[in-house]
Amino acid sequence: MPVAMPTQTDWVKSVLFDRGYLARIRGDAIKVYLVMLEICGGEPDKNVTISLSQLMKRTRLTCPTVIEGLSRLESLGLVVSTTHERGKVKTYYVSDPPASLTE
């Protein structure tokens, strides 16, 4: 008996492939995005709280590389930083980005 594909998988496929974001995510930012997707359960419009050290551990990337990846994802509208206090664990909002890309 065939199993229906979960909605989360449809959304991730839509964002990365149908909307063309995979081609826009440069370098190691894809690793950071995949960890963010895993933490939010593959669903859009979710808040994700993760420390920089946890991101570094899970992606096996250096601190500057993770920060650069997050910056790239923010510029694409894939994640939005919702905590701006220095020294605090950052909270990110994994957004459902627009269908059309302008860059």
Side-chain angles (χ1 to χ4, degrees), residues 14-34:
S14 171
V15 170
L16 292 178
F17 297 101
D18 301 339
R19 300 183 205 176
Y21 281 89
L22 184 60
R24 302 286 178 133
I25 301 174
R26 301 283 181 242
D28 289 320
I30 189 66
K31 291 180 182 179
V32 176
Y33 189 58
L34 291 174

Side-chain angles (χ1 to χ4, degrees), residues 51-71:
S51 69
L52 186 57
S53 62
Q54 288 174 317
L55 272 173
M56 290 168 47
K57 183 177 179 179
R58 293 181 81 168
T59 60
R60 296 185 180 179
L61 299 172
T62 64
C63 183
T65 303
V66 169
I67 291 170
E68 182 181 314
L70 286 168
S71 176

